[in-house]
């Protein structure tokens, strides 16, 4: 799954990277469910949405959409369209005997990317979910799902017809980070402080 992520880009950087105009929204080291996020579709302007996909007929707000359920679930068939959600990395917690250890996962070359997402509009405005898929070799020891990560033309392909390719392990890096990130109230660079462990 994907329950927390980073978007450490200013508006000008978002616009340069994704070639669209975006409304003002502060950069974040700890984006959490129910918070506002920036997203975009095929249009020239991005928009702000709430992270937590909720059709008007449902009381549930769901943050992740499994890729193998998109075509069959009534919940995801309610989507008003596909979106891309800008990010610089995401967090995942690895279960160990000593407790859960947070990791930050990003592209090894540190370039920004976008999550594949779905959008539904309701009376309170648009809400979105991040699409997840099976983990690659890097992610498998950490978690059994990972978000769909898109760059370049892969973003256009997702928005156009919903296709995406898996990201190889060699393209990503996972770093164990401070438990500061555990609380969504903590939105500061210290969330990304690496944790060194003896081997």
């Amino acid at each position: 799954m994907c329950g927390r992520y980073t978007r450490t880009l200013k508006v000008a950087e978002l616009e340069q990277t994704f070639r669209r105009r975006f409304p003002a929204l502060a950069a974040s080291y700890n984006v959490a469910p129910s918070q506002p996020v920036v997203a975009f579709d095929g249009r020239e302007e991005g928009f702000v949405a709430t992270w937590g996909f909720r059709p008007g007929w449902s009381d549930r707000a769901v943050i992740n959409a499994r890729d193998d359920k998109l075509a069959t679930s009534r919940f995801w068939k309610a989507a008003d369209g596909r979106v891309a959600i800008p990010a610089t990395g995401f967090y995942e917690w690895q279960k160990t005997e000593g407790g859960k250890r947070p990791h930050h996962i990003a592209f090894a070359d540190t370039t920004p990317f976008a999550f594949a997402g779905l959008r539904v509009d309701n009376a309170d405005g648009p809400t979105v979910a991040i699409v997840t898929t099976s983990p690659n070799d890097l992610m498998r020891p950490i978690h059994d799902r990972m978000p769909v990560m898109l760059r370049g033309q892969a973003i256009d392909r997702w928005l156009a017809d919903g296709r995406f390719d898996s990201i190889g392990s060699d393209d990503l890096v996972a770093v164990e980070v401070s438990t500061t990130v555990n609380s969504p109230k903590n939105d500061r660079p210290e969330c990304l402080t690496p944790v060194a462990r003896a081997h």
Side-chain angles (χ1 to χ4, degrees):
M1 63 177 291
C2 177
R4 217 76 68 72
Y5 71 92
T6 54
R7 187 192 60 253
T8 57
L9 297 172
K10 298 178 181 178
V11 173
E13 294 171 315
L14 282 171
E15 293 180 338
Q16 181 178 15
T17 300
F18 299 105
R19 305 182 307 279
R20 285 169 172 82
R21 294 186 297 275
F22 285 93
L25 188 64
S28 177
Y29 291 89
N30 196 359
V31 185
S34 79
Q35 292 182 351
V37 301
V38 288
F40 64 91
D41 50 25
R43 291 171 284 192
E44 293 184 357
E45 293 191 13
F47 57 92
V48 174
T50 299
W51 185 13
F53 183 102
R54 184 178 58 82
W57 42 262
S58 175
D59 294 329
R60 286 195 305 150
V62 181
I63 64 171
N64 291 155
R66 291 179 59 104
D67 61 335
D68 55 355
K69 301 291 186 181
L70 300 185
T72 58
S73 169
R74 173 175 176 253
F75 199 83
W76 304 120
K77 286 182 178 181
D80 290 311
R82 290 179 292 272
V83 297
I85 301 168
T88 49
F90 67 95
Y91 298 103
E92 194 54 79
W93 281 256
Q94 182 182 31
K95 293 181 180 178
T96 71
E97 291 183 358
K100 292 184 178 181
R101 298 177 178 175
H103 290 70
H104 184 255
I105 299 93
F107 277 99
D109 61 9
T110 71
T111 56
F113 61 95
F115 297 119
L118 295 178
R119 164 184 180 163
V120 66
D121 299 322
N122 55 42
D124 299 326
T127 63
V128 296
I130 293 172
V131 177
T132 66
T133 189
S134 300
N136 58 25
D137 290 342
L138 176 76
M139 282 298 301
R140 194 167 291 112
I142 301 174
H143 201 273
D144 61 357
R145 302 291 293 175
M146 66 179 289
V148 175
M149 305 167 71
L150 310 168
R151 294 193 294 184
Q153 294 182 344
I155 295 174
D156 299 327
R157 186 163 61 248
W158 164 255
L159 294 177
D161 56 27
R163 290 182 298 141
F164 65 86
D165 297 318
S166 298
I167 298 296
S169 297
D170 292 342
D171 294 324
L172 304 177
V173 61
V175 177
E176 185 178 349
V177 295
S178 167
T179 53
T180 298
V181 72
N182 288 359
S183 172
K185 295 180 180 179
N186 296 329
D187 185 0
R188 53 183 189 267
E190 286 77 11
C191 290
L192 292 173
T193 301
V195 172
R197 293 188 181 275
H199 295 284

